[in-house]
Amino acid sequence: LMSVVTIDAEKTQESAEKLANRLPDPVGYRMLVVKPEINATSEGGIALAEITTRREEAGAVVGLVLKQGDLCYKDATKFPTGPWCKEGDFVLLRAYSGSRFSVDGKEFIIVNDDMIEGTVADPRGIGRAY
């Protein structure tokens, strides 16, 4: 399945920007991450079932950092080399991690600063392994 599921990075950013004023501000060492938009069509043009795209979005391991709390990456002992990511970065997370919620059907999560597994330059084509 992963070979046919791709992330639409531009649509993810556009959707998040439209909701930006209505989203909560993370506090402390937490950050707000938007779950990606999954393309509803495979690379070969096959339409994917809605249940497939919703499952992939919910369990996605990539997200876009929208906002960071005022204490993110301030602990010099825990983060001696500085922040692991910044607002606007695509990051790798564990599937189903963080506090998940939705606004107008779009899924967001709030995660701790130390839950970031890595950063990704281009999230397209990255998904969970089964």
Side-chain angles (χ1 to χ4, degrees):
L1 180 63
M2 286 319 311
S3 62
V4 298
V5 175
T6 59
I7 293 172
D8 190 333
E10 291 81 19
K11 192 171 180 186
T12 297
Q13 287 177 313
E14 288 172 15
S15 294
E17 288 170 5
K18 288 179 184 177
L19 295 173
N21 295 346
R22 299 180 45 223
L23 297 175
D25 290 320
V27 296
Y29 53 85
R30 292 175 182 87
M31 61 182 75
L32 178 65
V33 177
V34 63
K35 296 297 239 164
E37 299 274 343
I38 303 295
N39 287 330
T41 307
S42 74
E43 292 174 5
I46 299 170
L48 302 173
E50 183 179 349
I51 189 72
T52 300
T53 56
R54 293 191 57 69
R55 184 182 72 226
E56 289 301 318
E57 287 173 357
V61 295
V62 175
L64 174 67
V65 178
L66 296 178
K67 299 179 183 180
Q68 293 181 325
D70 59 333
L71 297 178
C72 272
Y73 301 115
K74 299 287 189 212
D75 185 341
T77 304
K78 197 174 199 178
F79 307 106
T81 59
W84 293 351
C85 67
K86 63 186 179 314
E87 292 178 5
D89 283 352
F90 282 98
V91 294
L92 288 173
L93 304 161
R94 291 184 181 153
Y96 303 106
S97 63
S99 299
R100 298 169 34 191
F101 64 96
S102 66
V103 177
D104 293 344
K106 183 75 188 131
E107 188 171 342
F108 298 86
I109 56 174
I110 293 183
V111 298
N112 298 341
D113 55 6
D114 62 355
M115 294 176 76
I116 301 303
E117 304 278 327
T119 57
V120 179
D122 184 354
R124 291 174 284 215
I126 295 177
R128 280 186 305 139
Y130 290 95

